[in-house]
Amino acid sequence: VIQTTSEKILGMKMDLMVHLPYDHLLAVLRDDMPEGMVKCLVLAELLKETANIYEFQDKATESYLCYQKAFQIFFEILFVKDSTTLLEYLPQEELQKRFESLEAVTEQLIAYQLPEEVLFMVVSYYEQTGSFAKAEDLIFENIETAEDPQPIIELGIDYYKRLRLKTDEQLVAGNLPRDEVDSSLKELQE
């Protein structure tokens, strides 16, 4: 079903899309046009379902690759691009389901050791959605496991500097009170 849907709607075989870099897929599907953005969301959903199938088959590497690509495409279309233009093509409820899919994909993805580029995108996603404590957890987990933690430490420092500009109410809503922001920033700067 996924293969047929992929070929019919997107004009490419799913096997090919699983192995192409996500930015190439965005370009091929014309993510600069609203119709192309919708196709990108369809692809991200298909990748999410493919990842679930691979996970069920105990194919962790393939599952991870699909989750990663689904996350990158969802994030690019829903947070980097102007997703309000999608409302011309998708009802609000349908667009909301894509945000929920992004959340589900993210929860699956963070179980893996993430490359820096993806880690930075996930931290940005958590920051933009107000999930400040989740971003903090991810930063510190990755500092502990990274071969070279310096880029992640710098990411963390920048992250906490941005959080210091938030109101106390915003920080508490994101499960990260100001005193924790200040102490974590200090810890990373030492």
Side-chain angles (χ1 to χ4, degrees):
V1 174
I2 291 176
Q3 190 72 263
T4 307
T5 304
S6 168
E7 288 180 39
K8 192 172 188 174
I9 296 176
L10 305 174
M12 285 188 276
K13 294 186 180 216
M14 195 65 192
D15 297 340
L16 173 64
M17 288 191 269
V18 166
H19 293 94
L20 282 175
Y22 89 96
D23 52 345
H24 286 53
L25 289 169
L26 293 173
V28 168
L29 295 174
R30 299 288 317 259
D31 69 320
D32 58 334
M33 306 287 292
E35 300 90 348
M37 292 171 71
V38 171
K39 285 183 178 183
C40 288
L41 292 176
V42 168
L43 173 57
E45 288 289 349
L46 291 174
L47 286 164
K48 174 183 164 235
E49 294 307 317
T50 302
N52 290 337
I53 291 168
Y54 281 139
E55 194 170 44
F56 181 74
Q57 296 172 339
D58 289 327
K59 294 180 178 180
T61 301
E62 292 87 347
S63 179
Y64 163 74
L65 290 172
C66 290
Y67 280 131
Q68 177 182 321
K69 199 166 292 177
F71 171 81
Q72 290 171 310
I73 293 169
F74 275 132
F75 183 77
E76 182 77 23
I77 299 301
L78 298 174
F79 283 89
V80 177
K81 304 276 183 196
D82 179 13
S83 63
T84 58
T85 60
L86 290 169
L87 291 172
E88 297 174 31
Y89 296 86
L90 295 173
Q92 180 65 44
E93 313 81 61
E94 208 45 51
L95 187 57
Q96 182 58 39
K97 287 180 184 176
R98 303 302 69 84
F99 281 98
E100 291 166 7
S101 287
L102 171 56
E103 183 178 359
V105 165
T106 304
E107 293 307 311
Q108 293 295 323
L109 186 62
I110 62 171
Y112 298 92
Q113 181 67 38
L114 303 176
E116 270 180 31
E117 173 192 2
V118 177
L119 172 66
F120 288 19
M121 292 171 82
V122 174
V123 168
S124 177
Y125 164 73
Y126 281 145
E127 183 177 355
Q128 290 182 55
T129 58
S131 300
F132 306 133
K134 287 183 178 183
E136 176 181 57
D137 292 344
L138 196 58
I139 289 167
F140 277 97
E141 286 168 13
N142 280 272
I143 287 172
E144 290 175 13
T145 59
E147 285 182 32
D148 177 15
Q150 194 54 44
I152 302 167
I153 291 169
E154 291 171 14
L155 167 72
I157 290 170
D158 291 341
Y159 173 68
Y160 291 114
K161 285 180 178 178
R162 287 190 305 275
L163 287 186
R164 291 176 84 189
L165 302 174
K166 304 278 185 198
T167 66
D168 289 340
E169 293 79 21
Q170 289 172 309
L171 293 175
V172 168
N175 260 351
L176 198 62
R178 186 164 307 279
D179 60 329
E180 284 186 43
V181 170
D182 293 338
S183 66
S184 294
L185 176 60
K186 186 177 178 184
E187 181 181 340
L188 292 179
Q189 289 175 324
E190 292 174 351

